Amino acid sequence: MKSYTYIQIEKKGPVFCIALNRPDARNAMNTQMIMELSDALTVYEDDPSSRCAVLYANGLHFTFGLELEDVAKSIIEQGRNFFQKGNINPWDTGGTGRVRKKPLITAVHGFCLTLGIELMLASDIALAAEKTVFAQMEVQRGILPFGGATIRFVRTSGWGNAMKYILTGDTFDASEAYRIGIVQEVLPKKELITRAIELAEKICAQAPKAVDAVLANARKAIEVGDLEAIDDLVPLVTDCLKSEDGQEGIRSLLEKRTAVFKGK
């Protein structure tokens, strides 16, 4: 496994664990940390034995957001070419040719500010510890959110709920994050990572081709439109049914047992 300065990666069977690891700086993201996160997600995406990833953080906080002075310089100099060509953009906001296709669960605690919220919104499932504090406070620093909040926060929570926090930068707690739909579960901090890995293992137990098809079709509906996604449904399910895992799914149903998928 690769080693990084500000990111830790570990495999737990088919679950690929990624930890933000700059606790002395409250996991504030400088350019190097962002690049390492991009690379770690790319390693996950390219590893056929990894079926679901869990993103979390070491230390007291998920992240205090950007180390603005450092990252602003990089953005001004590189613009949309910020990420290495061929690497995954953790926020899926363009600038590279790679879009993450495999599932990702994000688990947050402590302070989860700005780009931290946007990492949650760019993932597929988000969990939060009970005492997590959130804020989308870019306007308080003279900029706008540029990791997707103006799109995904609005789409997930509705215009009024999103603008209440994006336009003011006010903090909100985990119960409010759950109410407006940006987290799917709120639980005690000591249970956070265990629960995230448990969900990841459940996803890993399903047929990979089916999981990929679900994500691809759902994303197409959002990014392109419902009609185009509907057109893909029959070809996708036909492809799944013709696979070995699809045939195993049918057999397991007839035999009234749990399916054992092999990713074929």
Side-chain angles (χ1 to χ4, degrees):
M1 297 289 283
K2 283 191 173 185
S3 61
Y4 302 99
T5 302
Y6 300 130
I7 298 291
Q8 285 184 347
I9 58 176
E10 178 185 7
K11 286 194 67 175
K12 296 180 181 292
V15 178
F16 194 96
C17 296
I18 303 172
L20 307 182
N21 191 41
R22 201 185 178 209
D24 292 345
R26 299 177 292 193
N27 287 318
M29 296 185 187
N30 60 13
T31 300
Q32 182 178 345
M33 187 178 188
I34 291 171
M35 295 305 182
E36 290 181 1
L37 177 58
S38 170
D39 194 68
L41 284 167
T42 305
V43 171
Y44 159 60
E45 185 78 12
D46 291 340
D47 179 9
S49 67
S50 294
R51 296 187 179 181
C52 186
V54 173
L55 174 64
Y56 62 98
N58 296 330
L60 297 176
H61 305 287
F62 183 71
T63 181
F64 260 55
L66 277 181
E67 198 166 271
L68 187 55
E69 183 178 0
D70 174 76
V71 177
K73 181 180 178 182
S74 298
I75 291 172
I76 291 170
E77 291 175 352
Q78 299 174 45
R80 292 180 62 84
N81 297 316
F82 186 82
F83 293 101
Q84 180 179 332
K85 187 176 180 181
N87 266 23
I88 300 293
N89 177 341
W91 292 272
D92 192 17
T93 51
T96 75
R98 293 292 298 277
V99 175
R100 177 181 53 82
K101 296 180 180 179
K102 294 163 72 172
L104 172 65
I105 297 170
T106 299
V108 304
H109 72 284
F111 278 96
C112 179
L113 307 182
T114 61
L115 281 177
I117 294 175
E118 291 171 311
L119 280 174
M120 292 166 43
L121 291 167
S123 65
D124 301 300
I125 301 171
L127 312 180
E130 290 171 331
K131 296 182 180 180
T132 308
V133 176
F134 300 88
Q136 196 76 61
M137 56 177 57
E138 284 89 346
V139 291
Q140 296 180 357
R141 301 294 180 261
I143 60 174
L144 81 163
F146 59 95
T150 52
I151 301 162
R152 296 192 184 97
F153 204 150
V154 174
R155 186 171 65 212
T156 300
S157 302
W159 185 273
N161 286 326
M163 291 304 158
K164 178 180 178 181
Y165 296 111
I166 294 175
L167 293 178
T168 65
D170 284 349
T171 61
F172 56 100
D173 62 16
S175 62
E176 175 70 350
Y178 180 78
R179 183 190 74 81
I180 63 179
I182 66 171
V183 302
Q184 283 63 66
E185 293 185 20
V186 177
L187 57 161
K189 170 62 171 66
K190 64 181 180 180
E191 300 175 14
L192 183 67
I193 307 306
T194 300
R195 176 58 177 157
I197 292 174
E198 177 187 5
L199 281 171
E201 288 173 341
K202 287 184 177 181
I203 293 171
C204 292
Q206 314 313 314
K209 185 181 287 289
V211 170
D212 291 347
V214 167
L215 290 175
N217 195 249
R219 288 171 181 162
K220 190 166 190 176
I222 288 173
E223 295 167 4
V224 181
D226 289 353
L227 293 178
E228 289 81 357
I230 289 169
D231 283 344
D232 282 354
L233 287 174
V234 171
L236 284 171
V237 76
T238 300
D239 190 40
C240 288
L241 288 170
K242 288 180 177 179
S243 69
E244 290 185 27
D245 281 348
Q247 293 301 303
E248 164 63 7
I250 294 170
R251 284 194 301 270
S252 68
L253 179 63
L254 295 173
E255 296 169 7
K256 298 181 180 180
R257 60 174 174 81
T258 301
V260 179
F261 297 117
K262 299 180 179 179
K264 298 180 180 179

